[in-house]
Amino acid sequence: MAGLACFDFDWSLIDTDSDRFVIQSLSPELRRKLDTSPMQWTDLQNECLKDFYDQGGSGQVVRDALTKVPLDPDMIKACQLLHAKGWTLVIVSDANSIYIDGILQHYGIKQLFSAVITNPAFWDSQDRLHIQRLIPADAPPHGCPLGICSLNICKGQEIDKLQKQLRQQNSANKADGSTAENFAPSQRMLYVGDGRNDYCPALRMQSSQDIYFVRKGRSLEAYLEKSAPNIRDAIKARIILWTRAADILKVVQEIA
């Protein structure tokens, strides 16, 4: 039975942090700035890119860096298999739309994903890249009660919105007699993540048939192992710790 497959991006779909990878490619000095500045993370990315362009950098250097981001072939196979079996694939990430689009395009898998939920980014007329927060600083806060989501995105709430959209699309397809693949709220869900902000969306999985892929050695695993029992007990999905994409591919081959 197909379902909804959600992927975080950094250290989940890809094998690095795209923000740090790109900035390191542009300038070691700017990479050090990422580790020392108290600025909000998304704003800091935009500031580093501004510094890069002010120093004479070009947009082509940024685009070239995206082609060097590592993506495990087994992760690509897992995504292709899920898509072929009728799963709806989405990315929910605190990266940005330009980085994600460029990397997916480079590996030829952009068409596998029905939606990419992330921070918006755009190239201006001078070929400078701008990155913005998904939830702007002057907008009402998302109000997630967990207190661990980033200021600019609550992935759990974004999953809620996405599922609502899919249900509406499903209803519209039924109304007009469309034979397009329909999404049912009861379908299975899997989520691939590595960070603490990947905990909130996992609470949307309410069945032991759902699968929560948690990357070993990252902050999400440490959060789940905290002494407070309600943290891990709140997860109803089957938790699978993974190290390499081959671990995910093996499970996907069994369930898809």
Side-chain angles (χ1 to χ4, degrees), residues 19-34:
D19 288 333
R20 290 183 171 89
F21 186 95
V22 170
I23 296 301
Q24 174 69 43
S25 300
L26 304 185
S27 163
E29 179 182 348
L30 291 176
R31 175 63 179 83
R32 287 190 291 272
K33 184 174 181 178
L34 291 185

Side-chain angles (χ1 to χ4, degrees), residues 143-178:
C144 177
L146 292 183
I148 60 171
C149 294
S150 304
L151 292 174
N152 56 300
I153 182 173
C154 169
K155 293 184 178 182
Q157 291 179 2
E158 295 302 325
I159 293 292
D160 290 341
K161 291 184 216 176
L162 174 66
Q163 291 183 319
K164 181 179 179 180
Q165 292 171 357
L166 290 171
R167 286 193 293 269
Q168 291 173 341
Q169 179 182 330
N170 183 50
S171 297
N173 287 342
K174 288 181 177 179
D176 64 15
S178 172

Side-chain angles (χ1 to χ4, degrees), residues 7-20:
F7 293 81
D8 172 47
F9 193 66
D10 297 322
W11 289 117
S12 295
L13 187 70
I14 63 173
D15 277 325
T16 189
D17 180 310
S18 58
D19 288 333
R20 290 183 171 89

Side-chain angles (χ1 to χ4, degrees), residues 113-140:
F113 294 89
S114 298
V116 176
I117 302 166
T118 189
N119 298 300
F122 66 94
W123 299 100
D124 67 17
S125 59
Q126 303 302 312
D127 203 29
R128 181 202 150 187
L129 179 60
H130 298 256
I131 301 174
Q132 302 171 330
R133 301 188 197 188
L134 180 63
I135 300 177
D138 58 355

